[in-house]
Amino acid sequence: MMYVFGLVALVLAAGMVVLFAMLGELSARVGPGSAPQVESSVWVLTDVALGGVPSALPAGLSGLNGLDRLDRRGPSMLLVLSTQCRTCTSVGEQLRDNPDLADPATIGVVVTTGEASQGAAFIQRYNLGSIPNHIDLDGAWMRTQFGVNFSPTALVFRDGVLVSALGFTSVPALRAAVLDAAERVITGDEPVAARG
């Protein structure tokens, strides 16, 4: 009986990882309102718990600016990637081939996977070990903390609060969009509530 339960749990865990990756691929191909994302590689996600504060930070993400509520050093981004997502592989390649895109003080990576060894291999393959990272088994931490169910997703935090969630396919375009939005908020060209 114990083996049957273990097998069922393993199948369900694998199913969740595959579902997470499939939703990520779908979101990369079809953006908001079912319009294909041809021109833009960054779009706002609405089904995420904006205003959320992580109840606990995984050890691998400590030290990331802005993720801790007491840290006032500025915004940070968590890139949520999956080991089963083709677009996430492209994002990993972008980060590996352009290490200046990932400042370890402001960008961290959460890798969702069914097995810790697959997550560790993903981090190693794309040289992500030098930036804050966390292997999220079955995407459980992302789902329970922020309602994130697909990848790739970029979560933007300020003073420990989730202020924006973005779908993306290009890390340079993502950084440009986040910097532009931050500049508009700082200069007063955009109300804080409209950040994203």
Side-chain angles (χ1 to χ4, degrees):
M1 183 67 170
M2 188 71 132
Y3 294 112
V4 172
F5 178 73
L7 181 61
V8 168
L10 182 62
V11 169
L12 287 174
M16 287 301 295
V17 169
V18 170
L19 179 62
F20 203 97
M22 287 172 36
L23 287 172
E25 285 300 311
L26 179 62
S27 73
R29 294 179 186 177
V30 179
S34 299
Q37 294 297 316
V38 177
E39 294 178 23
S40 176
S41 59
V42 179
W43 58 96
V44 175
L45 300 174
T46 57
D47 294 339
V48 175
L50 293 181
V53 177
S55 61
L57 285 179
L61 297 177
S62 64
L64 186 61
N65 286 359
L67 201 53
D68 183 336
R69 199 160 181 67
L70 301 175
D71 183 354
R72 306 281 185 201
R73 291 181 287 174
S76 64
M77 268 194 297
L78 278 183
L79 306 182
V80 183
L81 308 175
S82 170
T83 57
Q84 302 296 311
C85 164
R86 197 170 21 157
T87 304
C88 297
T89 299
S90 171
V91 169
E93 291 168 352
Q94 292 170 49
L95 293 170
R96 179 192 62 211
D97 297 343
N98 302 291
D100 58 319
L101 292 176
D103 175 6
T106 59
I107 293 182
V109 174
V110 174
V111 178
T112 62
T113 184
E115 294 183 27
S117 61
Q118 290 177 344
F122 187 93
I123 289 169
Q124 183 177 5
R125 182 178 318 116
Y126 300 111
N127 298 327
L128 302 175
S130 63
I131 61 176
N133 63 73
H134 171 63
I135 297 172
D136 188 11
L137 293 177
D138 302 323
W141 188 68
M142 280 287 111
R143 264 193 327 278
T144 58
Q145 295 293 314
F146 309 109
V148 173
N149 290 311
F150 53 91
S151 58
T153 295
L155 301 178
V156 182
F157 292 85
R158 182 153 192 99
D159 302 331
V161 178
L162 178 60
V163 295
S164 183
L166 305 165
F168 70 103
T169 58
S170 164
V171 178
L174 171 68
R175 284 180 48 127
V178 169
L179 291 174
D180 180 58
E183 182 64 26
R184 284 181 290 160
V185 169
I186 290 169
T187 61
D189 292 340
E190 180 176 339
V192 174
R195 276 191 261 183

PDB file of all heavy atoms in Angstrom, residues 120-154:
ATOM      1  N   ALA A 120      19.274  21.327  -9.973  1.00  0.00           N
ATOM      2  CA  ALA A 120      20.705  21.582  -9.808  1.00  0.00           C
ATOM      3  C   ALA A 120      21.426  21.523 -11.149  1.00  0.00           C
ATOM      4  O   ALA A 120      22.307  22.354 -11.429  1.00  0.00           O
ATOM      5  CB  ALA A 120      21.308  20.582  -8.832  1.00  0.00           C
ATOM      6  N   ALA A 121      21.043  20.569 -12.000  1.00  0.00           N
ATOM      7  CA  ALA A 121      21.658  20.458 -13.331  1.00  0.00           C
ATOM      8  C   ALA A 121      21.328  21.685 -14.181  1.00  0.00           C
ATOM      9  O   ALA A 121      22.181  22.181 -14.923  1.00  0.00           O
ATOM     10  CB  ALA A 121      21.186  19.179 -14.022  1.00  0.00           C
ATOM     11  N   PHE A 122      20.096  22.200 -14.080  1.00  0.00           N
ATOM     12  CA  PHE A 122      19.686  23.401 -14.814  1.00  0.00           C
ATOM     13  C   PHE A 122      20.537  24.595 -14.377  1.00  0.00           C
ATOM     14  O   PHE A 122      21.055  25.347 -15.207  1.00  0.00           O
ATOM     15  CB  PHE A 122      18.197  23.669 -14.565  1.00  0.00           C
ATOM     16  CG  PHE A 122      17.605  24.771 -15.396  1.00  0.00           C
ATOM     17  CD1 PHE A 122      16.986  24.497 -16.603  1.00  0.00           C
ATOM     18  CD2 PHE A 122      17.651  26.101 -14.966  1.00  0.00           C
ATOM     19  CE1 PHE A 122      16.424  25.515 -17.370  1.00  0.00           C
ATOM     20  CE2 PHE A 122      17.086  27.114 -15.725  1.00  0.00           C
ATOM     21  CZ  PHE A 122      16.473  26.817 -16.931  1.00  0.00           C
ATOM     22  N   ILE A 123      20.693  24.763 -13.071  1.00  0.00           N
ATOM     23  CA  ILE A 123      21.492  25.866 -12.537  1.00  0.00           C
ATOM     24  C   ILE A 123      22.939  25.753 -13.014  1.00  0.00           C
ATOM     25  O   ILE A 123      23.541  26.744 -13.431  1.00  0.00           O
ATOM     26  CB  ILE A 123      21.401  25.907 -10.999  1.00  0.00           C
ATOM     27  CG1 ILE A 123      19.997  26.380 -10.591  1.00  0.00           C
ATOM     28  CG2 ILE A 123      22.478  26.796 -10.388  1.00  0.00           C
ATOM     29  CD1 ILE A 123      19.676  26.222  -9.124  1.00  0.00           C
ATOM     30  N   GLN A 124      23.484  24.553 -12.999  1.00  0.00           N
ATOM     31  CA  GLN A 124      24.862  24.353 -13.445  1.00  0.00           C
ATOM     32  C   GLN A 124      24.997  24.581 -14.956  1.00  0.00           C
ATOM     33  O   GLN A 124      25.922  25.255 -15.402  1.00  0.00           O
ATOM     34  CB  GLN A 124      25.339  22.948 -13.086  1.00  0.00           C
ATOM     35  CG  GLN A 124      26.785  22.707 -13.452  1.00  0.00           C
ATOM     36  CD  GLN A 124      27.263  21.334 -13.029  1.00  0.00           C
ATOM     37  OE1 GLN A 124      26.499  20.513 -12.538  1.00  0.00           O
ATOM     38  NE2 GLN A 124      28.534  21.097 -13.220  1.00  0.00           N
ATOM     39  N   ARG A 125      24.072  24.024 -15.744  1.00  0.00           N
ATOM     40  CA  ARG A 125      24.134  24.134 -17.210  1.00  0.00           C
ATOM     41  C   ARG A 125      24.160  25.588 -17.660  1.00  0.00           C
ATOM     42  O   ARG A 125      24.836  25.949 -18.620  1.00  0.00           O
ATOM     43  CB  ARG A 125      22.942  23.424 -17.838  1.00  0.00           C
ATOM     44  CG  ARG A 125      22.937  23.439 -19.371  1.00  0.00           C
ATOM     45  CD  ARG A 125      21.758  22.692 -19.987  1.00  0.00           C
ATOM     46  NE  ARG A 125      21.455  21.439 -19.339  1.00  0.00           N
ATOM     47  CZ  ARG A 125      20.303  21.169 -18.695  1.00  0.00           C
ATOM     48  NH1 ARG A 125      19.342  22.070 -18.660  1.00  0.00           N
ATOM     49  NH2 ARG A 125      20.107  20.011 -18.119  1.00  0.00           N
ATOM     50  N   TYR A 126      23.417  26.444 -16.980  1.00  0.00           N
ATOM     51  CA  TYR A 126      23.321  27.842 -17.394  1.00  0.00           C
ATOM     52  C   TYR A 126      24.109  28.792 -16.490  1.00  0.00           C
ATOM     53  O   TYR A 126      23.899  30.005 -16.531  1.00  0.00           O
ATOM     54  CB  TYR A 126      21.845  28.254 -17.499  1.00  0.00           C
ATOM     55  CG  TYR A 126      21.136  27.399 -18.521  1.00  0.00           C
ATOM     56  CD1 TYR A 126      20.189  26.471 -18.140  1.00  0.00           C
ATOM     57  CD2 TYR A 126      21.490  27.480 -19.865  1.00  0.00           C
ATOM     58  CE1 TYR A 126      19.573  25.654 -19.076  1.00  0.00           C
ATOM     59  CE2 TYR A 126      20.882  26.657 -20.808  1.00  0.00           C
ATOM     60  CZ  TYR A 126      19.932  25.758 -20.410  1.00  0.00           C
ATOM     61  OH  TYR A 126      19.343  24.941 -21.338  1.00  0.00           O
ATOM     62  N   ASN A 127      25.036  28.236 -15.694  1.00  0.00           N
ATOM     63  CA  ASN A 127      25.934  29.033 -14.841  1.00  0.00           C
ATOM     64  C   ASN A 127      25.175  30.018 -13.956  1.00  0.00           C
ATOM     65  O   ASN A 127      25.537  31.184 -13.861  1.00  0.00           O
ATOM     66  CB  ASN A 127      26.970  29.782 -15.688  1.00  0.00           C
ATOM     67  CG  ASN A 127      27.864  28.845 -16.457  1.00  0.00           C
ATOM     68  OD1 ASN A 127      28.171  27.753 -15.996  1.00  0.00           O
ATOM     69  ND2 ASN A 127      28.275  29.254 -17.644  1.00  0.00           N
ATOM     70  N   LEU A 128      24.112  29.549 -13.319  1.00  0.00           N
ATOM     71  CA  LEU A 128      23.291  30.412 -12.475  1.00  0.00           C
ATOM     72  C   LEU A 128      23.675  30.332 -10.998  1.00  0.00           C
ATOM     73  O   LEU A 128      23.038  30.960 -10.157  1.00  0.00           O
ATOM     74  CB  LEU A 128      21.815  30.048 -12.648  1.00  0.00           C
ATOM     75  CG  LEU A 128      21.277  30.141 -14.076  1.00  0.00           C
ATOM     76  CD1 LEU A 128      19.842  29.631 -14.152  1.00  0.00           C
ATOM     77  CD2 LEU A 128      21.382  31.556 -14.597  1.00  0.00           C
ATOM     78  N   GLY A 129      24.723  29.595 -10.694  1.00  0.00           N
ATOM     79  CA  GLY A 129      25.131  29.413  -9.307  1.00  0.00           C
ATOM     80  C   GLY A 129      25.698  30.659  -8.655  1.00  0.00           C
ATOM     81  O   GLY A 129      25.747  30.754  -7.427  1.00  0.00           O
ATOM     82  N   SER A 130      26.118  31.640  -9.451  1.00  0.00           N
ATOM     83  CA  SER A 130      26.708  32.848  -8.880  1.00  0.00           C
ATOM     84  C   SER A 130      25.660  33.889  -8.478  1.00  0.00           C
ATOM     85  O   SER A 130      25.991  34.903  -7.885  1.00  0.00           O
ATOM     86  CB  SER A 130      27.692  33.476  -9.874  1.00  0.00           C
ATOM     87  OG  SER A 130      27.009  33.886 -11.040  1.00  0.00           O
ATOM     88  N   ILE A 131      24.398  33.648  -8.825  1.00  0.00           N
ATOM     89  CA  ILE A 131      23.332  34.559  -8.415  1.00  0.00           C
ATOM     90  C   ILE A 131      22.434  33.826  -7.417  1.00  0.00           C
ATOM     91  O   ILE A 131      22.401  32.595  -7.387  1.00  0.00           O
ATOM     92  CB  ILE A 131      22.514  35.080  -9.619  1.00  0.00           C
ATOM     93  CG1 ILE A 131      21.842  33.942 -10.377  1.00  0.00           C
ATOM     94  CG2 ILE A 131      23.383  35.909 -10.548  1.00  0.00           C
ATOM     95  CD1 ILE A 131      20.944  34.401 -11.519  1.00  0.00           C
ATOM     96  N   PRO A 132      21.720  34.552  -6.573  1.00  0.00           N
ATOM     97  CA  PRO A 132      20.824  33.885  -5.625  1.00  0.00           C
ATOM     98  C   PRO A 132      19.854  32.965  -6.368  1.00  0.00           C
ATOM     99  O   PRO A 132      19.289  33.343  -7.396  1.00  0.00           O
ATOM    100  CB  PRO A 132      20.084  35.048  -4.956  1.00  0.00           C
ATOM    101  CG  PRO A 132      21.015  36.212  -5.095  1.00  0.00           C
ATOM    102  CD  PRO A 132      21.688  36.008  -6.423  1.00  0.00           C
ATOM    103  N   ASN A 133      19.705  31.740  -5.857  1.00  0.00           N
ATOM    104  CA  ASN A 133      18.815  30.791  -6.531  1.00  0.00           C
ATOM    105  C   ASN A 133      18.163  29.853  -5.539  1.00  0.00           C
ATOM    106  O   ASN A 133      18.651  29.669  -4.429  1.00  0.00           O
ATOM    107  CB  ASN A 133      19.576  30.011  -7.613  1.00  0.00           C
ATOM    108  CG  ASN A 133      20.680  29.156  -7.048  1.00  0.00           C
ATOM    109  OD1 ASN A 133      20.428  28.131  -6.436  1.00  0.00           O
ATOM    110  ND2 ASN A 133      21.926  29.578  -7.241  1.00  0.00           N
ATOM    111  N   HIS A 134      17.063  29.281  -5.994  1.00  0.00           N
ATOM    112  CA  HIS A 134      16.313  28.329  -5.171  1.00  0.00           C
ATOM    113  C   HIS A 134      15.690  27.289  -6.091  1.00  0.00           C
ATOM    114  O   HIS A 134      15.137  27.631  -7.130  1.00  0.00           O
ATOM    115  CB  HIS A 134      15.217  29.064  -4.391  1.00  0.00           C
ATOM    116  CG  HIS A 134      14.262  28.160  -3.688  1.00  0.00           C
ATOM    117  ND1 HIS A 134      14.647  27.297  -2.683  1.00  0.00           N
ATOM    118  CD2 HIS A 134      12.931  27.966  -3.858  1.00  0.00           C
ATOM    119  CE1 HIS A 134      13.587  26.615  -2.266  1.00  0.00           C
ATOM    120  NE2 HIS A 134      12.534  27.009  -2.956  1.00  0.00           N
ATOM    121  N   ILE A 135      15.810  26.037  -5.712  1.00  0.00           N
ATOM    122  CA  ILE A 135      15.153  24.955  -6.441  1.00  0.00           C
ATOM    123  C   ILE A 135      13.817  24.714  -5.752  1.00  0.00           C
ATOM    124  O   ILE A 135      13.763  24.350  -4.581  1.00  0.00           O
ATOM    125  CB  ILE A 135      16.021  23.684  -6.454  1.00  0.00           C
ATOM    126  CG1 ILE A 135      17.321  23.959  -7.200  1.00  0.00           C
ATOM    127  CG2 ILE A 135      15.252  22.523  -7.094  1.00  0.00           C
ATOM    128  CD1 ILE A 135      18.342  22.856  -7.113  1.00  0.00           C
ATOM    129  N   ASP A 136      12.739  24.944  -6.489  1.00  0.00           N
ATOM    130  CA  ASP A 136      11.379  24.871  -5.956  1.00  0.00           C
ATOM    131  C   ASP A 136      10.730  23.579  -6.445  1.00  0.00           C
ATOM    132  O   ASP A 136      10.259  23.508  -7.583  1.00  0.00           O
ATOM    133  CB  ASP A 136      10.599  26.098  -6.436  1.00  0.00           C
ATOM    134  CG  ASP A 136       9.234  26.240  -5.801  1.00  0.00           C
ATOM    135  OD1 ASP A 136       8.945  25.521  -4.828  1.00  0.00           O
ATOM    136  OD2 ASP A 136       8.460  27.087  -6.283  1.00  0.00           O
ATOM    137  N   LEU A 137      10.710  22.571  -5.592  1.00  0.00           N
ATOM    138  CA  LEU A 137      10.143  21.282  -5.977  1.00  0.00           C
ATOM    139  C   LEU A 137       8.660  21.411  -6.286  1.00  0.00           C
ATOM    140  O   LEU A 137       7.890  21.910  -5.467  1.00  0.00           O
ATOM    141  CB  LEU A 137      10.389  20.232  -4.895  1.00  0.00           C
ATOM    142  CG  LEU A 137      11.847  19.842  -4.708  1.00  0.00           C
ATOM    143  CD1 LEU A 137      11.993  18.849  -3.565  1.00  0.00           C
ATOM    144  CD2 LEU A 137      12.437  19.269  -5.989  1.00  0.00           C
ATOM    145  N   ASP A 138       8.299  21.015  -7.482  1.00  0.00           N
ATOM    146  CA  ASP A 138       6.924  21.045  -7.980  1.00  0.00           C
ATOM    147  C   ASP A 138       6.318  22.450  -8.014  1.00  0.00           C
ATOM    148  O   ASP A 138       5.108  22.606  -8.107  1.00  0.00           O
ATOM    149  CB  ASP A 138       6.016  20.113  -7.167  1.00  0.00           C
ATOM    150  CG  ASP A 138       6.514  18.684  -7.180  1.00  0.00           C
ATOM    151  OD1 ASP A 138       7.017  18.256  -8.237  1.00  0.00           O
ATOM    152  OD2 ASP A 138       6.421  18.012  -6.144  1.00  0.00           O
ATOM    153  N   GLY A 139       7.137  23.483  -7.901  1.00  0.00           N
ATOM    154  CA  GLY A 139       6.632  24.854  -7.935  1.00  0.00           C
ATOM    155  C   GLY A 139       5.822  25.222  -6.705  1.00  0.00           C
ATOM    156  O   GLY A 139       5.086  26.210  -6.724  1.00  0.00           O
ATOM    157  N   ALA A 140       5.960  24.461  -5.628  1.00  0.00           N
ATOM    158  CA  ALA A 140       5.128  24.653  -4.437  1.00  0.00           C
ATOM    159  C   ALA A 140       5.334  26.023  -3.788  1.00  0.00           C
ATOM    160  O   ALA A 140       4.358  26.672  -3.386  1.00  0.00           O
ATOM    161  CB  ALA A 140       5.399  23.548  -3.419  1.00  0.00           C
ATOM    162  N   TRP A 141       6.575  26.485  -3.661  1.00  0.00           N
ATOM    163  CA  TRP A 141       6.823  27.773  -3.003  1.00  0.00           C
ATOM    164  C   TRP A 141       6.223  28.910  -3.830  1.00  0.00           C
ATOM    165  O   TRP A 141       5.563  29.798  -3.294  1.00  0.00           O
ATOM    166  CB  TRP A 141       8.327  27.980  -2.788  1.00  0.00           C
ATOM    167  CG  TRP A 141       8.627  29.173  -1.947  1.00  0.00           C
ATOM    168  CD1 TRP A 141       8.343  29.333  -0.613  1.00  0.00           C
ATOM    169  CD2 TRP A 141       9.244  30.393  -2.374  1.00  0.00           C
ATOM    170  NE1 TRP A 141       8.746  30.579  -0.185  1.00  0.00           N
ATOM    171  CE2 TRP A 141       9.318  31.248  -1.246  1.00  0.00           C
ATOM    172  CE3 TRP A 141       9.741  30.843  -3.574  1.00  0.00           C
ATOM    173  CZ2 TRP A 141       9.866  32.519  -1.310  1.00  0.00           C
ATOM    174  CZ3 TRP A 141      10.307  32.113  -3.634  1.00  0.00           C
ATOM    175  CH2 TRP A 141      10.357  32.933  -2.506  1.00  0.00           C
ATOM    176  N   MET A 142       6.427  28.871  -5.138  1.00  0.00           N
ATOM    177  CA  MET A 142       5.881  29.919  -6.003  1.00  0.00           C
ATOM    178  C   MET A 142       4.351  29.954  -5.960  1.00  0.00           C
ATOM    179  O   MET A 142       3.751  31.012  -5.895  1.00  0.00           O
ATOM    180  CB  MET A 142       6.325  29.709  -7.459  1.00  0.00           C
ATOM    181  CG  MET A 142       7.710  30.197  -7.748  1.00  0.00           C
ATOM    182  SD  MET A 142       7.784  31.997  -7.797  1.00  0.00           S
ATOM    183  CE  MET A 142       8.732  32.346  -6.354  1.00  0.00           C
ATOM    184  N   ARG A 143       3.722  28.787  -6.000  1.00  0.00           N
ATOM    185  CA  ARG A 143       2.253  28.718  -5.972  1.00  0.00           C
ATOM    186  C   ARG A 143       1.693  29.227  -4.653  1.00  0.00           C
ATOM    187  O   ARG A 143       0.760  30.020  -4.635  1.00  0.00           O
ATOM    188  CB  ARG A 143       1.786  27.277  -6.199  1.00  0.00           C
ATOM    189  CG  ARG A 143       1.428  26.953  -7.600  1.00  0.00           C
ATOM    190  CD  ARG A 143       0.689  25.633  -7.735  1.00  0.00           C
ATOM    191  NE  ARG A 143       1.051  24.588  -6.797  1.00  0.00           N
ATOM    192  CZ  ARG A 143       2.097  23.780  -6.930  1.00  0.00           C
ATOM    193  NH1 ARG A 143       2.898  23.905  -7.952  1.00  0.00           N
ATOM    194  NH2 ARG A 143       2.346  22.850  -6.035  1.00  0.00           N
ATOM    195  N   THR A 144       2.244  28.753  -3.543  1.00  0.00           N
ATOM    196  CA  THR A 144       1.664  29.106  -2.246  1.00  0.00           C
ATOM    197  C   THR A 144       1.981  30.539  -1.833  1.00  0.00           C
ATOM    198  O   THR A 144       1.149  31.189  -1.202  1.00  0.00           O
ATOM    199  CB  THR A 144       2.133  28.146  -1.132  1.00  0.00           C
ATOM    200  OG1 THR A 144       3.557  28.183  -1.047  1.00  0.00           O
ATOM    201  CG2 THR A 144       1.656  26.732  -1.399  1.00  0.00           C
ATOM    202  N   GLN A 145       3.143  31.047  -2.189  1.00  0.00           N
ATOM    203  CA  GLN A 145       3.523  32.395  -1.774  1.00  0.00           C
ATOM    204  C   GLN A 145       2.937  33.480  -2.671  1.00  0.00           C
ATOM    205  O   GLN A 145       2.552  34.539  -2.191  1.00  0.00           O
ATOM    206  CB  GLN A 145       5.054  32.534  -1.755  1.00  0.00           C
ATOM    207  CG  GLN A 145       5.741  31.675  -0.729  1.00  0.00           C
ATOM    208  CD  GLN A 145       5.432  32.110   0.697  1.00  0.00           C
ATOM    209  OE1 GLN A 145       5.480  33.284   1.040  1.00  0.00           O
ATOM    210  NE2 GLN A 145       5.094  31.156   1.539  1.00  0.00           N
ATOM    211  N   PHE A 146       2.884  33.217  -4.008  1.00  0.00           N
ATOM    212  CA  PHE A 146       2.548  34.292  -4.931  1.00  0.00           C
ATOM    213  C   PHE A 146       1.497  33.926  -5.983  1.00  0.00           C
ATOM    214  O   PHE A 146       1.137  34.754  -6.801  1.00  0.00           O
ATOM    215  CB  PHE A 146       3.811  34.788  -5.650  1.00  0.00           C
ATOM    216  CG  PHE A 146       4.923  35.112  -4.701  1.00  0.00           C
ATOM    217  CD1 PHE A 146       6.044  34.302  -4.636  1.00  0.00           C
ATOM    218  CD2 PHE A 146       4.838  36.195  -3.846  1.00  0.00           C
ATOM    219  CE1 PHE A 146       7.062  34.575  -3.740  1.00  0.00           C
ATOM    220  CE2 PHE A 146       5.855  36.471  -2.952  1.00  0.00           C
ATOM    221  CZ  PHE A 146       6.969  35.662  -2.897  1.00  0.00           C
ATOM    222  N   GLY A 147       1.044  32.697  -6.003  1.00  0.00           N
ATOM    223  CA  GLY A 147       0.052  32.288  -6.987  1.00  0.00           C
ATOM    224  C   GLY A 147       0.617  32.122  -8.386  1.00  0.00           C
ATOM    225  O   GLY A 147      -0.130  32.145  -9.356  1.00  0.00           O
ATOM    226  N   VAL A 148       1.925  31.934  -8.511  1.00  0.00           N
ATOM    227  CA  VAL A 148       2.560  31.761  -9.815  1.00  0.00           C
ATOM    228  C   VAL A 148       2.436  30.299 -10.228  1.00  0.00           C
ATOM    229  O   VAL A 148       2.852  29.402  -9.499  1.00  0.00           O
ATOM    230  CB  VAL A 148       4.044  32.180  -9.783  1.00  0.00           C
ATOM    231  CG1 VAL A 148       4.737  31.845 -11.094  1.00  0.00           C
ATOM    232  CG2 VAL A 148       4.153  33.660  -9.484  1.00  0.00           C
ATOM    233  N   ASN A 149       1.850  30.080 -11.415  1.00  0.00           N
ATOM    234  CA  ASN A 149       1.615  28.720 -11.890  1.00  0.00           C
ATOM    235  C   ASN A 149       2.286  28.405 -13.218  1.00  0.00           C
ATOM    236  O   ASN A 149       2.020  27.372 -13.797  1.00  0.00           O
ATOM    237  CB  ASN A 149       0.109  28.476 -12.053  1.00  0.00           C
ATOM    238  CG  ASN A 149      -0.596  28.406 -10.728  1.00  0.00           C
ATOM    239  OD1 ASN A 149      -0.162  27.688  -9.834  1.00  0.00           O
ATOM    240  ND2 ASN A 149      -1.657  29.156 -10.588  1.00  0.00           N
ATOM    241  N   PHE A 150       3.093  29.318 -13.737  1.00  0.00           N
ATOM    242  CA  PHE A 150       3.751  29.033 -15.005  1.00  0.00           C
ATOM    243  C   PHE A 150       5.082  29.787 -15.103  1.00  0.00           C
ATOM    244  O   PHE A 150       5.391  30.629 -14.276  1.00  0.00           O
ATOM    245  CB  PHE A 150       2.854  29.385 -16.195  1.00  0.00           C
ATOM    246  CG  PHE A 150       2.330  30.786 -16.165  1.00  0.00           C
ATOM    247  CD1 PHE A 150       3.025  31.802 -16.773  1.00  0.00           C
ATOM    248  CD2 PHE A 150       1.133  31.074 -15.536  1.00  0.00           C
ATOM    249  CE1 PHE A 150       2.546  33.101 -16.759  1.00  0.00           C
ATOM    250  CE2 PHE A 150       0.661  32.369 -15.508  1.00  0.00           C
ATOM    251  CZ  PHE A 150       1.351  33.374 -16.115  1.00  0.00           C
ATOM    252  N   SER A 151       5.817  29.437 -16.123  1.00  0.00           N
ATOM    253  CA  SER A 151       7.124  30.046 -16.320  1.00  0.00           C
ATOM    254  C   SER A 151       7.368  30.242 -17.817  1.00  0.00           C
ATOM    255  O   SER A 151       6.717  29.594 -18.625  1.00  0.00           O
ATOM    256  CB  SER A 151       8.199  29.136 -15.725  1.00  0.00           C
ATOM    257  OG  SER A 151       8.131  27.859 -16.330  1.00  0.00           O
ATOM    258  N   PRO A 152       8.245  31.152 -18.189  1.00  0.00           N
ATOM    259  CA  PRO A 152       9.010  32.042 -17.319  1.00  0.00           C
ATOM    260  C   PRO A 152       8.178  33.225 -16.836  1.00  0.00           C
ATOM    261  O   PRO A 152       7.360  33.764 -17.568  1.00  0.00           O
ATOM    262  CB  PRO A 152      10.160  32.515 -18.205  1.00  0.00           C
ATOM    263  CG  PRO A 152       9.630  32.431 -19.596  1.00  0.00           C
ATOM    264  CD  PRO A 152       8.641  31.303 -19.598  1.00  0.00           C
ATOM    265  N   THR A 153       8.375  33.564 -15.600  1.00  0.00           N
ATOM    266  CA  THR A 153       7.725  34.701 -14.977  1.00  0.00           C
ATOM    267  C   THR A 153       8.793  35.523 -14.270  1.00  0.00           C
ATOM    268  O   THR A 153       9.724  34.952 -13.699  1.00  0.00           O
ATOM    269  CB  THR A 153       6.672  34.236 -13.941  1.00  0.00           C
ATOM    270  OG1 THR A 153       5.640  33.540 -14.615  1.00  0.00           O
ATOM    271  CG2 THR A 153       6.079  35.397 -13.170  1.00  0.00           C
ATOM    272  N   ALA A 154       8.660  36.825 -14.301  1.00  0.00           N
ATOM    273  CA  ALA A 154       9.537  37.706 -13.532  1.00  0.00           C
ATOM    274  C   ALA A 154       8.693  38.372 -12.457  1.00  0.00           C
ATOM    275  O   ALA A 154       7.672  38.990 -12.760  1.00  0.00           O
ATOM    276  CB  ALA A 154      10.174  38.753 -14.433  1.00  0.00           C
TER     277      ALA A 154
END
